[in-house]
Amino acid sequence: MKAFYAEEQKRHDPKAFLSSGAPQPNPEKPERIERLLAGARSTGLTVERPKNHGLGPISAVHTPEYLDFLQHIFIRWQRIEGASAEVIPNIHPIARNGSYPASAVGQAGYHMADTACPISAETWNSALWSAWSAVEAAEAVMAGAASAYALCRPPGHHAFADVAGGFCFINNSAVAAQVLRKNSARVAILDVDLHHGNGTQGIFYARPDVLTVSLHADPVRFYPFFWGHADERGEGPGLGYNLNLPLPRKSGDEAFLEALAAAFQRIRAFAPEALVVALGLDAFEGDPFGGLSVTTPGFSRIGEAIAGLGLPTIIVQEGGYLCDALGDNLTAFLTGFGGKKD
């Protein structure tokens, strides 16, 4: 299996976010990359640099209005007297059917769901290369590889078509799925991150060609709160093409694997021609977010189970934060998935 990553992804270095209203160090740190690269390389993966794929594959799932905002908002923000060093919103519309403001402050509130995704001078470029890693992995599978891993950082699954949130700017899993659609009539996205993949769900919610399935901590008292509930099934032509499997807090390996079996049943009913795994490692029992209790051997079992679907697969890195076992958890997942090595 090949892995894809570019050094530019490390330059995005958010400093803070608000947790329960209090400023805290932002946990989406560049150091995550070193841990994840070590975990990938320990399985024997070859890490390659992706090509510059331009905006085409990204604009296929994000609005031009949003991409223009992401690309230019940092420079505009610097012109505001007394503004923060990073772009951080302080006002949000209560609905999205109002007018679109010209103000940088107003647009930040419109396009940023929370304070977890501050934008600095390097954010746009890092997010582009993160997405291009996903594109390169998708193209490798389309060229005949059985599977590929994209070390995407910043992560992506909380980014909607026109909204950043939860450390995410460009939805790398959605970009990969849309690229795969060139050769595949139906693509499934299986999100195993601790948090619901609300942005991915939002992008494909009205589409019948991309099935979205997410296992995550129950959002009734956990981020992202407003999405990820079991009654969200899709809408319009996409009704019946979204499945959420919320888990009680602190659920461990057995509960996770039981939910995964339900996810597989829905995926098999969809008969996809390719699969995108949105791989969060923050379901780990020792992750700083502490939402679920999956063990390191549990990630190996999850990887092995997903490989059993027998589908061409892109593994896209999502969450998983600094802890001693972060690299080991990636090694465990990829090793468990190893039956599909090229």
Side-chain angles (χ1 to χ4, degrees), residues 191-196 214-219 222 245-253 255-257 259 280-295 299 302:
D191 192 318
V192 296
D193 190 277
L194 166 65
H195 304 95
H196 173 244
S214 181
L215 288 69
H216 47 266
D218 193 333
F222 205 71
L245 297 163
L247 294 163
R249 292 283 293 275
K250 300 299 182 184
S251 292
D253 295 350
F256 201 96
L257 287 160
L281 297 167
D282 44 2
F284 177 54
E285 59 183 350
D287 187 88
F289 281 99
L292 295 175
S293 298
V294 174
T295 66
F299 282 112
I302 292 167

Side-chain angles (χ1 to χ4, degrees), residues 16 62 100 109 119 142 211 243 300 320:
H62 289 286
Y100 187 70
I119 296 172
M142 290 166 64
L211 174 73
L243 176 65
S300 182

Side-chain angles (χ1 to χ4, degrees), residues 147-160:
S147 59
Y149 170 65
L151 201 174
C152 293
R153 187 270 167 184
H157 73 148
H158 295 307
F160 286 75

